[in-house]
Amino acid sequence: MQGILLLGVFMLVLAMVAEFGSLRAKTLRLQSAFDRAALAATGAVDGGALADRGELRLDAAAAEAVAREYLAANLEPFEVSIPGLTASGTAAAARVGVSAAPERAVTLSGEVELPSGLLALAGVGPTVTYRIESHSVLEGP
């Protein structure tokens, strides 16, 4: 009888570990999507400043547009695996910061609600808010 109870407890713990692993894998994929979008946005160089003055600067409006476009494209594959996630909605709600000088950087941040699954039994709640921030710097003369 005790063996059956221990087996039940072991199965529950195993299921919670698997759920935690799944949640962690989703957060890593989300972080990767934000990182790739921030990196792509640093390619939005202000061509006029470069041609006229030889100054390497970011075009803030273009960098923001590229960041949102890439973020939406990178999040699309996860819409199926993360209930309630919309790639376009998350990209539109993300905060994009562009500094043209002296650092020439793009910072992309946002929040995604992830279902907690079996972790709700441990008191986590029905969802977990994952806060993501990514920072990419354009380097050059």
Side-chain angles (χ1 to χ4, degrees):
M1 185 65 154
Q2 290 176 347
I4 293 174
L5 284 174
L6 284 175
L7 181 63
V9 170
F10 176 72
M11 294 300 285
L12 181 60
V13 169
L14 185 63
M16 290 181 96
V17 167
E19 188 71 35
F20 181 77
S22 173
L23 185 63
R24 182 67 181 143
K26 288 174 185 171
T27 61
L28 289 173
R29 290 192 314 234
L30 288 168
Q31 183 68 54
S32 177
F34 272 74
D35 290 345
R36 286 180 283 175
L39 183 61
T42 57
V45 174
D46 183 347
L50 186 59
D52 295 343
R53 299 178 301 280
E55 188 177 314
L56 187 60
R57 300 176 57 92
L58 288 173
D59 179 337
E64 180 176 347
V66 168
R68 292 187 192 285
E69 179 185 332
Y70 269 74
L71 184 58
N74 286 318
L75 290 176
E76 274 183 23
F78 307 125
E79 288 182 333
V80 174
S81 63
I82 302 175
L85 176 76
T86 60
S88 59
T90 302
R95 290 171 298 284
V96 181
V98 179
S99 60
E103 188 184 26
R104 301 182 302 243
V106 175
T107 302
L108 183 60
S109 61
E111 295 179 352
V112 176
E113 293 287 325
L114 298 171
S116 60
L118 289 176
L119 294 176
L121 296 174
V124 172
T127 61
V128 176
T129 302
Y130 181 59
R131 290 173 181 81
I132 311 158
E133 183 168 305
S134 186
H135 186 75
S136 184
V137 177
L138 173 64
E139 294 185 2

